[in-house]
Amino acid sequence: MAAFLRRVALALGLVAFAAAPAGAAEPTTILNASYDVGRELYAALNTAFAADWKAKSGTEVTINQSHAGTSKQARSILEGLDADVVTFNQELDVQFLADKGAVASDWRTRLPNGASPYFSLPAFVVRAGNPKSVRNWDDLVRSDVKVVFPNPKTSGNARYTYLAAYAFALKAYGGDEAKADDFVKKLLANVPVFDTGGRGATTTFVERGIGDVLVTFEAETAAVKKEYGADKVDVVVPPVSLLADFPVSVVDKVVDKRGSRAVATGYLEWLYSPKAQEIIASFNNRPRDAEVTAATAAQFPKVELLTVDAVFGGWKKANDVHFASGGKLDQLFVGR
């Protein structure tokens, strides 16, 4: 019942500050371990949350940030990084923490939308003017196109790229797995450099001038174009892509040790508030709030979004088949 009431309150935009800190022992800092390309978004969110938290609880709080590939972040937490919350870019790494006892097993149901306050999708950054005429996923396997994205072994961003390409191929070839394997094998062969995280891949593409296409989250494509200019790069959103959720959770093992559960929980719940959703949309992530979604609809192209659940049978099965040791990714990497 408590979880239901929390979801109703969030749906009404009534962020639950009932869990505000009650005593002086409450920590005044928390650490958010997040994905590699989320720095600027969370810098803006953290400032706004701190102001709201102070106004409603009377307590000063600082949210410190740590950003890297999410698999690396999850391993760091197990090795001692005291992150109070994780804001990752796919659920495998949160579930990894749950499987190891650092996060409660019911983490997906503690917040709305599978604990994902916003979503995005893999999209493309190309050189200005799109000289290679890249429009869709099948352009990425052409012999004259070099593609940049991070290593799927270390980056959640890259796992979405891999799965989006595989899902596109399954759709294009009527579910023929052998042809999908060949498609992704060609894609991997077209990647000259595998960085460990999304921001490294952006640097490789834009600053080192390597490759014809950078594949990353739609939000990052807009940020790249804004930072480097339309005279350097263009953005291409393919007509078909893969839904990319951004799951969040308190790290139960850490918040119980530090006594930071109230502020950590309040922080994550606040991400669903209209103010946070507006900030999220301003960084070109797709919001969940209905009113913010309607107000920002014009900035997001319409895309057919395939899902990991529908195409791959869920993240666990996708991991077992594709990303586990000796899985399909290893087989296709070895053969590239």
Side-chain angles (χ1 to χ4, degrees), residues 101-261:
V103 167
S105 60
D106 66 345
W107 67 269
R108 284 187 198 81
T109 61
R110 294 194 292 196
L111 290 167
N113 306 109
S116 174
Y118 56 96
F119 65 99
S120 190
L121 51 113
F124 310 150
V125 180
V126 298
R127 303 296 174 193
N130 195 6
K132 294 293 182 74
S133 298
V134 172
R135 302 294 180 197
N136 208 341
W137 292 95
D138 49 356
D139 291 314
L140 307 189
V141 301
R142 288 168 21 201
S143 60
D144 65 328
V145 173
K146 294 300 181 187
V147 186
V148 174
F149 60 87
N151 189 334
K153 287 286 187 181
T154 58
S155 166
N157 187 335
R159 282 195 282 275
Y160 275 116
T161 296
Y162 170 96
L163 291 176
Y166 203 98
F168 170 87
L170 285 175
K171 181 179 173 67
Y173 298 124
D176 189 322
E177 289 192 14
K179 290 183 178 178
D181 286 353
D182 185 59
F183 183 92
V184 173
K185 186 175 179 179
K186 289 179 180 176
L187 172 63
L188 295 172
N190 276 354
V191 181
V193 179
F194 284 102
D195 292 285
T196 58
R199 190 52 56 86
T202 298
T203 299
T204 293
F205 179 76
V206 181
E207 298 188 4
R208 297 174 62 196
I210 294 175
D212 303 297
V213 188
L214 168 69
V215 188
T216 187
F217 294 122
E218 181 186 41
E220 175 76 349
T221 67
V224 170
K225 186 171 183 178
K226 181 179 179 181
E227 179 175 355
Y228 293 96
D231 61 327
K232 297 285 194 308
V233 297
D234 281 329
V235 171
V236 175
V237 178
V240 179
S241 194
L242 191 72
L243 173 69
D245 284 315
F246 288 76
V248 302
S249 179
V250 297
V251 181
D252 297 81
K253 185 176 180 180
V254 174
V255 298
D256 288 342
K257 180 178 73 174
R258 297 189 66 237
S260 56
R261 180 176 290 277

Side-chain angles (χ1 to χ4, degrees), residues 65-87:
Q65 300 178 219
S66 170
H67 293 274
T70 52
S71 296
K72 181 180 179 182
Q73 292 286 54
R75 289 194 299 273
S76 295
I77 289 169
L78 294 181
E79 292 167 357
L81 177 67
D82 277 345
D84 302 89
V85 301
V86 292
T87 56

